[in-house]
Amino acid sequence: MMEWNELESAAHACTRCGLCETRHNVVFGVGNRSADVMFVGEGPGEQEDLQGIPFVGPAGRLLDDMLSIIDLDRNTNCYIANIVKCRPPRNRDPMETEQDACIDYLRNQVLLVRPKIIVCLGRIAAKRLIDPDFRITRQHGAWVEKNGIWMSAIYHPSALLRDVSKRPETFDDLIALRAKIRELGCQM
Ligand code: URA
């Protein structure tokens, strides 16, 4: 396990997969490194790649709005990262091999943050972190405890931009997340 400075430097210099050839910036993570609540997306999009910060494009604005509904804020009480730290070309899904090459950075981030809760944003993160057979339509909002961390998944904000009919269910999932945060006495 590496400490933050070493880990971030290693990620910024990473050439473990082909995504390093097309990236503008490594998108490491953002937020409170001691937060009790962590969010994990799939990988950077265009704006994230250009700015080096997770969820700063259209989906990111929606994510910030979703967080604010339950008094979460990326700069104070949560930490946000991705399965892969470099943008897949044209925003395609990150390949299994790319996820494999990158996942140890996320593992190390989780070990350092020590969150009580991890919320996967979308099916790619849910499949990787919760269950390879995870079905987001059926299992969003469900909670499982793994290695002492409470885990769930909600629809990816990009999916909510494409399909507003998923928003009411996501609102319910956010309210359930707030209940879990209170139940576990998370630092807010
Ligand atoms: N989508 C993601 O999954 N992650 C980001 O950082 C931005 C968009």
Side-chain angles (χ1 to χ4, degrees):
M1 174 166 138
M2 293 183 235
E3 294 305 324
W4 282 112
N5 285 347
E6 192 188 353
L7 182 66
E8 192 162 8
S9 301
H12 282 286
C14 186
T15 56
R16 286 189 201 170
C17 83
L19 296 181
C20 70
E21 286 162 25
T22 46
R23 73 175 178 230
H24 293 95
N25 284 288
V26 173
V27 180
F28 182 69
V30 69
N32 183 335
R33 293 175 166 186
S34 309
D36 283 338
V37 184
M38 186 160 169
F39 291 87
V40 179
E42 65 182 68
E46 182 180 26
Q47 281 306 311
E48 292 77 18
D49 173 61
L50 292 173
Q51 297 181 43
I53 306 167
F55 287 99
V56 288
R61 283 193 289 278
L62 179 56
L63 177 62
D64 284 337
D65 290 347
M66 291 159 62
L67 298 182
S68 75
I69 292 171
I70 53 170
D71 301 313
L72 290 172
D73 178 277
R74 65 164 69 205
N75 296 309
T76 58
N77 53 13
C78 59
Y79 187 80
I80 304 174
N82 282 301
I83 298 284
V84 299
K85 309 296 194 233
C86 298
R87 183 193 183 197
R90 302 173 311 282
N91 298 346
R92 63 162 171 74
D93 290 351
M95 297 186 300
E96 205 83 34
T97 51
E98 293 160 348
Q99 297 183 32
D100 291 345
C102 207
I103 197 71
D104 281 348
Y105 295 116
L106 181 65
R107 273 190 224 294
N108 203 328
Q109 285 171 303
V110 171
L111 289 172
L112 291 169
V113 175
R114 302 204 303 120
K116 292 181 172 155
I117 293 173
I118 295 178
V119 180
C120 300
L121 299 170
R123 61 172 259 281
I124 300 271
K127 279 181 176 289
R128 189 75 207 198
L129 300 184
I130 300 177
D131 176 359
D133 297 321
F134 197 91
R135 300 295 303 268
I136 191 80
T137 45
R138 290 186 207 150
Q139 290 174 271
H140 68 85
W143 289 91
V144 287
E145 193 183 5
K146 282 184 88 175
N147 306 316
I149 302 177
W150 283 94
M151 317 241 337
S152 76
I154 62 176
Y155 282 115
H156 195 287
S158 300
L160 301 172
L161 288 174
R162 285 193 301 270
D163 182 359
V164 294
S165 76
K166 293 184 165 79
R167 290 190 184 197
E169 299 166 74
T170 304
F171 181 78
D172 293 344
D173 293 346
L174 290 170
I175 299 305
L177 169 57
R178 182 170 61 183
K180 183 61 81 179
I181 286 170
R182 288 178 177 162
E183 177 192 325
L184 298 178
C186 294
Q187 204 68 46
M188 293 290 281

